Amino acid sequence: MSDLMPPTLHTITSAVAKNVAVVREHTAAMLMAVVKADGYGHGMVSIARTAVAAGAQWLGTTGLDEAIQLREAGLNVPILSWLNPSGVDAAAALRHRIDIAVGSVDELDALLGSGPSSSALNVHLHVDTGMSREGGALSQWGDFFGSASRAQQRERIHVVGLMGHLPYVDEGAPDRNSAAVALMRQARQRALRAELPIGVTHLAATSGAFTYPSSHFDMVRVGAGLVGIDPTQTTPLYGASRLTAPVVHSAKIPANAPVGYGGAHVTNQETCVSVIPLGYADGIPRELSPDACVAIGAHRYSVIGRVSMDQIIIDTGADYLPLGATVTVFGPADEGAPTIHDWAGWAGTIPHTIVTGIGQRVHRRIE
């Protein structure tokens, strides 16, 4: 078994570049390539490099550590980090030229308290536009913008951006997000009245970029769309990942044979089965519909029995698969294999969880 190719997640960078081009067709705003969660499971640095080469002007991360990794990889475009649960090392952000988002007076005070008083950090003010998740609430904008203005006057920060989020990202219906757009416009007006010269306003993510031009403002933030996921399912994109694994065991079994733990599947006739070394520890959803399948070339084979921690079993019918045969678990739609969208449907989830859930035991390869 040691000579077999290991389970591998292939990142297809040409697809990322094509997806950037699709975004550019939908907006004249600047593009921030969001590469959080290790580039949605596809490799943060590779996705970032490809997106920037294809025309993205900004990069976005969840935390400062991710942003610093991008700088250390040689990426020089502006980078924003907007969720820093363990606090922000303002000195490190300054040193690496990372913009930081703050969403309350408390967050701003903490940032000012951690940084040197002699240098000003670039800041994006984060306002709540309808999610109650992050960002300053409307009732707090007076204190929030006032504190930011005073800090800017003391040359402790440069307020360069204003950001929010569209709350209804899965729906290609602009009217569902019109209130968020109105709040964003109101926030920008309030910020300008507080003498905060906002350079870039950004609200829309992938779904807004494709379906709601009024939400684009100065920049759109696209993450899922880079790797082929459109939450609204309105815009054809290119799948940027392929998950493959070898057959590690095959057998011919009789009718009425229980398969896997608990005999959750019982064969209704003599058939061949093969074992694939991927399980729920590797990101294969444990709860799947009976439609779940994998592919070898043009042939699709059903996943049967329970998903184990390290293995799944497939029914190959009359085909006895040789040891080492390469199975495609998911891949781009044009290759004929199941897609991440298929797997999301079989698991009752969203495609984001499929790609971000692939575990570290799975080998990564950039193509």
Side-chain angles (χ1 to χ4, degrees), residues 126-208:
H126 194 169
V127 294
D128 180 10
T129 50
M131 292 183 68
S132 302
R133 186 186 69 175
E134 45 189 314
L138 175 62
S139 62
Q140 301 168 350
W141 285 0
D143 291 341
F144 186 27
F145 292 150
S147 294
S149 181
R150 289 188 291 274
Q152 179 151 290
Q153 290 169 9
R154 299 196 310 271
E155 298 185 348
R156 296 296 309 281
I157 61 173
H158 291 308
V159 177
V160 299
L162 181 70
M163 69 178 293
H165 283 80
L166 293 177
Y168 298 100
V169 297
D170 295 336
E171 302 173 26
D175 59 318
R176 293 284 281 157
N177 287 299
S178 59
V181 173
L183 277 171
M184 201 70 199
R185 290 175 177 154
Q186 183 180 349
R188 186 163 63 176
Q189 292 171 355
R190 293 278 294 272
L192 293 174
R193 285 202 299 268
E195 298 185 349
L196 294 168
I198 303 299
V200 56
T201 299
H202 46 109
L203 173 67
T206 297
S207 60

Side-chain angles (χ1 to χ4, degrees), residues 259-303:
V259 177
Y261 284 118
H265 177 87
V266 177
T267 60
N268 57 17
Q269 61 184 10
E270 182 180 83
T271 192
C272 296
V273 296
S274 289
V275 175
I276 312 302
L278 289 167
Y280 57 78
D282 305 296
I284 301 298
R286 190 170 186 271
E287 300 300 328
L288 291 172
S289 80
D291 298 324
C293 63
V294 301
I296 297 181
H299 297 279
R300 291 199 176 192
Y301 300 112
S302 297
V303 177

